[in-house]
Amino acid sequence: TPPSVQDQVFPPPPPGYTPTARAEPPWDTHPKRWAGLVVAVLAQLLVAVGTGTTAVLLPTLVADLGLAGYSLRALGMGYAVGFGGLLLVGGHLADRIGRRRTLVTGLAGFALTVAVAGFAGSSLMLVLAQLGQGASAALLSTAGLAYVTSAFTAPRERGTAFGLYATVALGGTAVGLLMGGGIAEALSWRVCLLVLAVLAAVLAISAGAIVPDQPVRVPARTDVPGLLLGTTGLIVLAYGLVRLGDPGALFAFDRVVPPPVFAGIGLVLLIAFVALRAKADGGLLPLYVLRDRNRAGALLALLLAGAGSLVVWQYLAGFLQVVWGYPPVTAGVHLLPFALAAAAGALLVSARLQHRYAPRLLIVPGLLLAALGLALLTGFPTGASYFTIAIPGLVLAGAGLGVAFVPLLATATGGTAPHDAGGTAAAGCAAQQLGSAAVAPILGGIIYAVASGRLSETKGIPEFWDQVGPTGALIHTGQLPATLVESAQRANQATLYGYSAAFWTAAGLTLLAAALAGLLVTARAPRP
């Protein structure tokens, strides 16, 4: 009989497992435990807000700094490589020096790098700042999730903690659209980034004073082989996946090594990392962590289910701003039903039911509901009504993902001793990040294929559509010469048909995630 989730929270270490932990504080009565949760959740919200704000500010950055296509591609790649590459390092630091120190380090680095971006006078400085911002976000994300994982072990409290975390993970981008767009319109993009830096600095100070530290490994042994293999594999895989959706080359070797080869090398390195960890005692990911079937199913479902939120925030936000001409704040308001429904599903449904039912009894219905919502949204880009199609689709997709993400995150990070929570948190963050990185070029390729088919017999399409089209982006017609506006609008219309195909694909991936979770996540309900 498969064990319950509660049985898996602190299993005894397997034979031969050498690292031990210092005496644990009484977490059930710790006076700062819930205050630490608030700080950890706000830190994750800061990451989501930073991502949404950067997306909102891109057109302004292009105009003010004169960014070329090369610099725009480097911005996205810098953040993705920095975030993906430092996930395992962040998890290892959380286990070695503690959650609080790692969280404070990540928040301080985030504040510094965002401030550098706010004062940037060149594209190079902006790209370096994005690289640092991604690395800092990896540290604070893994430390925050590790804290949530190990500080809340009682089933009811665990559901509430992960409900708050899932709400921020799914809906935090809406705050970035509203905040970033509002400040940028009222003042400037530099002020917007500096405000974000100040918030990160205040949160870093708060984390140092509020977040209680947790058990760390004793002795504090650095897993050098695991870090080298795992980190290199994540960096190479992230770079290769991002390049799959990039029509140009950033470096000289990009013209020699195709993106699939890069991604394949990264995957081989990660497989070698798992094989090495499976034969080692302790280390970055102990043996009992790697052999957990429930965790494997939850990680696979997280990897695939991320397509739902990706298409909403990337493609629908672009549609509202480019086709309907809405400013970022108005576009964010139109996408609020998704964020609010995700919060309701996570906090009002999963957080209250997770301690009563087996995880898959929430995961599978939630993902099926999300797939239905994404299927409804397929008609929106090609002319369906916002009130009759988009709102029901956004509500169903948001609520379904909110219901599913709470038990998915809890299962993916559960079943570990407190001093191993950082490694499992890094695995959970990597599943979400690599899922988005892998799905984005797939969706972009589908959009480009559909749009190219519709434009195959059309003349007068702008030449730069060959660079924009493969990314799935729409062409802003406001600054184009009058002679190109009509052809650009035709290209956009063809791209919108590709958006419908992308939503169908996201719905299919969500259904696949539901099937895998139903087969692999077999844990029972927590014991009363």
Side-chain angles (χ1 to χ4, degrees):
T1 303
S4 70
V5 174
Q6 183 174 333
D7 293 333
Q8 296 179 4
V9 173
F10 296 119
Y17 181 57
T18 52
T20 58
R22 299 192 184 109
E24 301 175 24
W27 287 112
D28 291 341
T29 58
H30 201 293
K32 293 184 178 181
R33 193 164 52 103
W34 288 97
L37 172 65
V38 172
V39 174
V41 169
L42 288 177
Q44 186 58 38
L45 177 62
L46 200 66
V47 175
V49 169
T51 304
T53 300
T54 302
V56 167
L57 297 180
L58 275 181
T60 309
L61 293 175
V62 171
D64 285 4
L65 297 180
L67 299 183
Y70 176 96
S71 300
L72 288 176
R73 298 197 304 273
L75 280 178
M77 286 190 179
Y79 185 89
V81 170
F83 189 88
L86 268 290
L87 283 174
L88 289 178
V89 174
H92 201 51
L93 286 176
D95 287 338
R96 185 181 179 192
I97 66 174
R99 306 342 173 206
R100 180 173 58 208
R101 292 178 181 177
T102 308
L103 189 60
V104 170
T105 301
L107 286 168
F110 194 90
L112 176 62
T113 52
V114 173
V116 169
F119 288 109
S122 65
S123 59
L124 177 60
M125 185 180 294
L126 203 58
V127 170
L128 293 177
Q130 279 290 98
L131 180 65
Q133 184 178 336
S136 302
L139 296 183
L140 66 90
S141 292
T142 50
L145 184 55
Y147 175 83
V148 175
T149 297
S150 53
F152 299 89
T153 58
R156 188 185 295 271
E157 292 182 346
R158 193 171 177 82
T160 302
F162 276 102
L164 290 170
Y165 191 90
T167 297
V168 168
L170 291 170
T173 307
V175 181
L177 288 173
L178 296 174
M179 179 185 131
I183 296 178
E185 288 178 17
L187 299 172
S188 71
W189 65 270
R190 295 186 185 275
V191 173
C192 179
L193 292 178
L194 292 177
V195 168
L196 195 61
V198 171
L199 292 176
V202 171
L203 204 55
I205 296 172
S206 302
I210 294 175
V211 176
D213 223 339
Q214 294 180 289
V216 296
R217 294 188 176 199
V218 179
R221 179 172 58 88
T222 301
D223 183 10
V224 176
L227 283 176
L228 287 177
L229 265 180
T231 300
T232 305
L234 283 175
I235 290 175
V236 175
L237 180 59
Y239 185 73
L241 290 175
V242 175
R243 278 188 57 205
L244 287 174
D246 193 332
L250 283 178
F251 305 103
F253 59 80
D254 286 345
R255 300 182 179 90
V256 180
V257 183
V261 174
F262 252 101
I265 294 173
L267 189 60
V268 168
L269 290 174
L270 287 180
I271 293 173
F273 162 74
V274 173
L276 176 67
R277 291 299 89 215
K279 296 179 180 179
D281 293 333
L284 189 61
L285 285 177
L287 182 60
Y288 75 92
V289 172
L290 296 173
R291 287 183 172 177
D292 192 329
R293 169 179 173 172
N294 292 289
R295 189 186 332 281
L299 290 175
L300 286 173
L302 281 173
L303 191 145
L304 295 172
S309 56
L310 176 69
V311 292
V312 169
W313 295 121
Q314 182 166 330
Y315 296 129
L316 276 191
F319 169 83
L320 292 170
Q321 293 180 71
V322 176
V323 178
W324 283 12
Y326 286 158
V329 174
T330 307
V333 170
H334 278 70
L335 295 178
L336 272 181
F338 178 86
L340 295 177
L347 294 173
L348 301 182
V349 180
S350 271
R352 296 186 176 187
L353 299 180
Q354 182 180 329
H355 64 286
R356 299 179 183 176
Y357 298 101
R360 64 177 170 184
L361 295 182
L362 293 173
I363 295 172
V364 174
L367 292 178
L368 292 177
L369 193 66
L372 176 60
L374 293 171
L376 282 177
L377 289 172
T378 57
F380 181 49
T382 54
S385 168
Y386 173 77
F387 292 98
T388 60
I389 295 296
I391 287 184
L394 289 171
V395 169
L396 289 176
L401 290 175
V403 169
F405 261 57
V406 174
L408 280 174
L409 287 170
T411 305
T413 57
T416 56
H419 46 282
D420 292 328
T424 52
C429 291
Q432 298 178 66
Q433 173 69 12
L434 292 179
S436 298
V439 168
I442 294 173
L443 296 179
I446 291 172
I447 293 171
Y448 184 65
V450 172
S452 297
R454 288 186 167 269
L455 294 172
S456 58
E457 298 180 359
T458 303
K459 298 180 179 180
I461 299 301
E463 293 182 0
F464 55 81
W465 188 79
D466 288 334
Q467 282 75 45
V468 176
T471 65
L474 295 165
I475 300 174
H476 288 265
T477 59
Q479 299 179 349
L480 290 179
T483 55
L484 294 177
V485 170
E486 184 179 352
S487 58
Q489 289 175 343
R490 290 201 303 272
N492 282 344
Q493 187 61 41
T495 301
L496 292 179
Y497 282 97
Y499 277 18
S500 293
F503 274 96
W504 279 120
T505 304
L509 291 174
T510 306
L511 287 176
L512 179 58
L516 289 174
L519 291 172
L520 296 176
V521 181
T522 57
R524 299 195 316 265
R527 291 179 285 107

